[in-house]
Amino acid sequence: MRARYADGRAAITRETECTLAADTLNFIIGETRAEWSYADLARADDGNGCIILKRKPDTGERLYFESEHEAELRAAAPNLFTKRARGIESPLIAASLAAAAYACAAAFLIGVPMASGPIADIMPTASREQIADISWSQVNALTDYCDDSDEAARILNDMAHRMMTAAQVPQRDNVWITIVDAPIPNAFALPDESIIVTAQLIAMAEQPDELAGVIAHEIAHIERNHVLKNIVSNMGAGIFFDIVVGGGGIGQAVAVASVNLAGLSYSRDFEREADARGLDYLDAADIDTAGLARMFDHLRTAAEGDVEGAIPALLSTHPDTATRGADARARSRPGLAQPLTEQEWRVVRSACGSGGGPALPAPAAAQPAEQPEKTPPS
Amino acid sequence: MTSEAAPAQAFRHSGKFIDVMGLAAKNALLTLLTFTLYRFWARTSMRRRLWSRVSAMGDPLEYTGTALELFRGFLIALPTFFLPAIFVYYIAPLALDPGTAGWLAFGFYLLAVPLIAAARYLMRRYQLSRTHWRGIRFGLAGSAAGFAFASSGWTVLQWLSLFWYTPVSRMNRAKLLWENARFGDQPFEFVEDGQSPQKDLWWPFALGWFGTAFAVPTVFGIVLSVGLAYLGLDAVASGEQATEPPPNFIAGVVIAYLIAVIGALLGYLLVWAPYNAAAMNAIAARLSLDGARFRLRAKTFSLFLVTLAGWIVTIFSIGLLAPIAGFLQVRYVINRFEILGEPRFAEIGQSIVSAPNAGEGLGDAFDLDMGVGVI
Ligand SMILES: [Zn+2]
């Protein structure tokens, strides 16, 4: 059969006549007789209409056949017409790549979070402060510091220290509460052991023990180093996406977001641990744990009246507020005194200039739903 | 042998849209399933498909690169680029003081300019060394560092000149790339005829520049305000009693904004199409291989349509079918490409330029060329 031969030494082809033997393809070029074993040949055409053969390993030589010879060639050398011969990789490659990808994903998305505890515990103070700076810049961007909140913050910090002293929390000297003005009722801990409480959350609390319950919960997050553990485990995902996707910036976005929003999304286990530990503090400090339960009720009511999803932060990450409220109620010791005096509570309530009228007792059930809407003058 | 008249159509691209689309879809699926690890295999099979459909003087090109070579290139780029990047973006902000970390990140961005240029050169070298025609290899001589250095300088001049230096730097880059390109042992030439290579590019470039600076924002503004007036008034009329803006007002704003963005994108492609067509034609007209010259007949409007089609496929597939855009461009160029005269192919021997044994690690990092090598 007719074919054209390129010798791999010049960019021309020469006509030749090929014969197909049992195991070899034979042709004559000039004085030379070529004998190519079918087993040592590969396709070079990717199914483009003609059939081009080359040798393994590549010598630069090529044999070109018109498509009309396909049937004869196929009969003589079926190995040249398999998918593999055309260069399509075996499904095994795709399968093992998928396996490798999932193993790698597991290492970063499961392994790093699992190791996040030890990593967070050995993280040097300098690194912790750097992360805290990033968190603070986020807090500063999204909230306003309440200028006249110094006295209120001092009162809350005293209350927090009474709880921590009673419960013998080790790092109690570093914990510091800051009151800010933000669009949502919320409280969260930062990597430098600060706690941010929004004036909107204070406005939502009807009695001091409700606020004490939330603060105790946040102190527990700090005592158990949940903030840093969270950040480290999210960074595993960020680095994974960066490596696999090839530096497309997605990973950085994930990691930066995780650092900035630290404290707003803990796992259910962390929440349970912080709840249990927080209730211990309250008990130790003789504060009624039912306060925390009532705070959960307010948040739930607020969320029900909240169509735009403006209040997701505390609640959506605290999925089973009803159950958790019940836990807090179960440990309630009714009749305990409020942790703040009426005078102190009035100061706290007016921290962001909201006027601080008499707050106890707050009558209307619909009240909490409306509170977030009120933006106190700053 | 002397130059003979070339065949009527020396270059042809016989790729079928549906065929390429099928392969691109399969590749996209496997790429997703493997968290993008399959991308090296996807690229390789797509290149083999696109190359094999290009025929020159009746014989097809052949792509001989393998996925493992690309994978090896990625593994090489991992410690040399990705790990430093991870240090700069993750570790440094935590371990160093903010000032140092900030400067480090800034320096890294600056470094990206020459690094991308070098990556582009190395990518071209790899692709050419894996391209065969009649068993003869293409190649790229020269130094990637030299190209990176020169190219970065031109980039800085582009910035300083508010991009008016762009036509010059485009021709400079083309000259440097093509003068180092080889077919077998035969170098390509970038012919100097005493005239400035970019002399036909200034008017089309001015159209693109002023169009981007004035016309495109104007189109955007007009479409947005017309859309807002229409959709917004409608929404207000339907929801008059409500104290808050009705939900379809928000939807109206979003739709008007989207339409305006699409209008601006169309305008952008349209104002730059004459420049892109002129630049491609000008580069082709300067090329020479063993005395044979080339001609490209890219036309403004057809180039615009091809580019637009590529954008549409890419956007609607969130980038997964981006190789389709490359395919449309390559097919457009090949089918409008001509050779004047014929090189003495019998005299052109096998390439002596050394071929890299791993490919494109950095090109992969920067995701250059959307998965196929467009000229
Ligand atoms: Zn919590």
Side-chain angles (χ1 to χ4, degrees):
Chain A
M1 79 183 64
R2 302 298 296 167
R4 285 183 302 122
Y5 170 75
D7 62 7
R9 293 191 296 272
I12 49 166
T13 59
R14 280 179 280 175
E15 298 277 332
T16 182
E17 187 69 26
C18 279
T19 54
L20 302 176
D23 298 318
T24 57
L25 184 156
N26 308 320
F27 57 95
I28 296 174
I29 285 295
E31 305 291 300
T32 326
R33 189 184 157 75
E35 206 175 87
W36 287 6
S37 166
Y38 297 136
D40 295 333
L41 297 184
R43 293 275 292 275
D45 53 67
D46 195 51
N48 62 4
C50 57
I51 293 161
I52 307 173
L53 300 181
K54 62 180 173 183
R55 303 173 77 178
K56 290 190 291 194
D58 191 3
T59 55
E61 292 167 282
R62 298 289 185 273
L63 260 183
Y64 296 78
F65 296 90
E66 296 301 320
S67 57
E68 66 204 48
H69 298 304
E70 177 173 341
E72 282 170 87
L73 281 164
R74 186 191 287 271
N79 67 310
L80 291 175
F81 291 84
T82 61
K83 283 185 166 183
R84 295 294 304 282
R86 276 189 45 193
I88 297 172
E89 74 279 350
S90 88
L92 207 62
I93 288 186
S96 38
L97 280 177
Y102 286 95
C104 186
F108 278 100
L109 303 181
I110 301 172
V112 172
M114 277 172 67
S116 64
I119 297 174
D121 288 340
I122 59 163
M123 188 174 282
T125 317
S127 308
R128 180 186 285 260
E129 280 166 4
Q130 294 294 338
I131 297 177
D133 283 349
I134 301 175
S135 303
W136 267 108
S137 62
Q138 171 90 357
V139 170
N140 291 335
L142 294 180
T143 67
D144 291 323
Y145 176 71
C146 296
D147 288 329
D148 41 2
S149 67
D150 291 357
E151 178 67 7
R154 190 192 56 75
I155 293 169
L156 290 185
N157 277 307
D158 284 349
M159 180 176 76
H161 276 253
R162 281 200 300 278
M163 284 194 275
M164 288 188 285
T165 311
Q168 301 193 330
V169 175
Q171 63 268 58
R172 51 183 174 262
D173 289 340
N174 297 338
V175 174
W176 189 257
I177 297 171
T178 303
I179 302 172
V180 299
D181 186 13
I184 48 170
N186 206 349
F188 49 91
L190 297 185
D192 65 351
E193 306 182 340
S194 297
I195 294 173
I196 305 290
V197 176
T198 70
Q200 287 65 23
L201 186 82
I202 296 174
M204 189 177 265
E206 290 166 9
Q207 290 175 321
D209 57 359
E210 299 171 14
L211 200 55
V214 173
I215 289 171
H217 174 90
E218 295 305 327
I219 294 172
H221 277 313
I222 289 173
E223 190 193 5
R224 294 296 152 97
N225 208 6
H226 289 166
V227 189
L228 272 183
K229 286 177 184 172
N230 231 19
I231 290 170
V232 170
S233 58
N234 285 333
M235 284 176 83
I239 292 175
F240 167 73
F241 281 112
D242 239 20
I243 291 178
V244 168
V245 180
I250 299 172
Q252 286 157 33
V254 170
V256 167
S258 75
V259 171
N260 288 352
L261 299 175
L264 296 185
S265 60
Y266 293 108
S267 71
R268 203 170 274 221
D269 285 347
F270 281 2
E271 290 304 356
R272 255 186 222 119
E273 196 182 354
D275 274 352
R277 191 70 188 125
L279 295 179
D280 289 347
Y281 303 160
L282 295 170
D283 271 344
D286 288 329
I287 300 172
D288 187 3
T289 55
L292 182 59
R294 291 198 303 279
M295 199 66 189
F296 282 140
D297 291 343
H298 299 325
L299 283 163
R300 207 167 56 243
T301 318
E304 279 160 9
D306 165 47
V307 275
E308 301 267 317
I311 320 180
L314 245 171
L315 217 79
S316 65
T317 56
H318 294 64
D320 40 3
T321 26
T323 326
R324 297 169 63 196
D327 289 347
R329 239 172 220 121
R331 289 175 64 166
S332 169
R333 289 182 291 158
L336 291 175
Q338 285 292 339
L340 298 181
T341 65
E342 277 195 39
Q343 168 60 27
E344 286 172 330
W345 183 231
R346 200 169 294 124
V347 172
V348 169
R349 295 274 294 180
S350 60
C352 264
S354 54
L360 20 144
Q367 190 81 350
E370 287 180 15
Q371 298 265 357
E373 305 275 334
K374 289 184 189 164
T375 315
S378 53
Chain B
M1 240 181 264
T2 53
S3 295
E4 302 156 24
Q9 194 180 7
F11 300 98
R12 211 167 77 83
H13 200 301
S14 61
K16 298 276 182 296
F17 185 83
I18 201 77
D19 176 50
V20 177
M21 181 66 112
L23 182 61
K26 174 200 156 190
N27 283 342
L29 182 70
L30 284 171
T31 301
L32 282 181
L33 283 179
T34 58
F35 296 137
T36 75
L37 268 188
Y38 188 76
R39 66 183 184 274
F40 311 106
W41 280 260
R43 250 166 227 224
T44 300
S45 62
M46 181 55 75
R47 283 182 193 161
R48 205 162 48 222
R49 182 65 47 92
L50 296 184
W51 267 235
S52 70
R53 266 60 177 177
V54 174
S55 71
M57 332 288 148
D59 287 324
L61 293 183
E62 178 194 345
Y63 180 73
T64 61
T66 67
L68 281 177
E69 289 167 350
L70 292 186
F71 191 56
R72 206 181 305 144
F74 165 69
L75 291 182
I76 292 170
L78 204 59
T80 53
F81 177 74
F82 286 115
L83 293 188
I86 284 172
F87 176 80
V88 168
Y89 290 113
Y90 293 97
I91 316 291
L94 308 182
L96 307 176
D97 70 274
T100 315
W103 280 110
L104 205 57
F106 179 68
F108 210 71
Y109 273 116
L110 278 191
L111 198 64
V113 173
L115 220 50
I116 286 175
R120 179 158 286 158
Y121 201 84
L122 293 171
M123 190 171 200
R124 176 75 64 105
R125 169 173 293 164
Y126 173 76
Q127 287 183 8
L128 286 177
S129 74
R130 296 304 187 269
T131 304
H132 291 233
W133 183 71
R134 291 183 180 165
I136 302 294
R137 221 169 60 219
F138 287 78
L140 185 65
S143 122
F147 179 78
F149 185 73
S151 183
S152 310
W154 296 326
T155 301
V156 170
L157 286 177
Q158 279 174 262
W159 291 341
L160 293 180
S161 65
L162 297 177
F163 298 101
W164 281 95
Y165 192 72
T166 303
V168 182
S169 74
R170 182 160 181 170
M171 296 309 276
N172 286 349
R173 286 194 187 97
K175 178 171 151 68
L176 203 46
L177 280 169
W178 279 105
E179 280 185 340
N180 284 306
R182 305 278 185 272
F183 172 59
D185 55 7
Q186 183 71 34
F188 283 85
E189 286 169 70
F190 195 83
V191 179
E192 299 285 357
D193 59 2
Q195 296 192 327
S196 119
Q198 55 276 357
K199 77 174 167 48
D200 294 332
L201 303 185
W202 293 112
W203 285 113
F205 182 82
L207 177 68
W209 196 94
F210 285 108
T212 308
F214 303 111
V216 173
T218 308
V219 168
F220 182 82
I222 291 175
V223 174
L224 187 63
S225 44
V226 168
L228 279 184
Y230 181 73
L231 295 160
L233 283 177
D234 183 52
V236 169
S238 65
E240 225 162 358
Q241 301 95 322
T243 47
E244 290 171 35
N248 46 354
F249 178 77
I250 307 290
V253 170
V254 170
I255 290 170
Y257 190 78
L258 276 180
I259 293 174
V261 166
I262 291 169
L265 180 65
L266 283 177
Y268 180 81
L269 291 182
L270 199 57
V271 295
W272 282 110
Y275 168 71
N276 281 323
M280 286 158 75
N281 292 342
I283 291 168
R286 299 240 158 207
L287 290 185
S288 165
L289 180 68
D290 191 27
R293 298 290 290 268
F294 297 87
R295 182 162 61 204
L296 179 65
R297 297 174 183 277
K299 295 277 193 313
T300 294
F301 196 64
S302 52
L303 183 64
F304 164 72
L305 289 181
V306 162
T307 314
L308 180 64
W311 272 82
I312 289 174
V313 172
T314 305
I315 290 173
F316 279 95
S317 68
I318 45 171
L320 287 171
L321 298 179
I324 296 285
F327 157 64
L328 293 174
Q329 287 262 347
V330 170
R331 186 173 69 172
Y332 179 86
V333 167
I334 295 294
N335 283 335
R336 280 159 189 76
F337 201 44
E338 295 167 6
I339 188 166
L340 312 169
E342 190 170 339
R344 294 161 299 167
F345 287 123
E347 310 292 318
I348 297 181
Q350 188 56 281
S351 174
I352 44 172
V353 177
S354 68
N357 52 19
E360 302 190 356
L362 280 178
D364 177 60
F366 295 116
D367 202 17
L368 298 174
D369 290 350
M370 298 192 298
V372 286
V374 186
I375 295 164

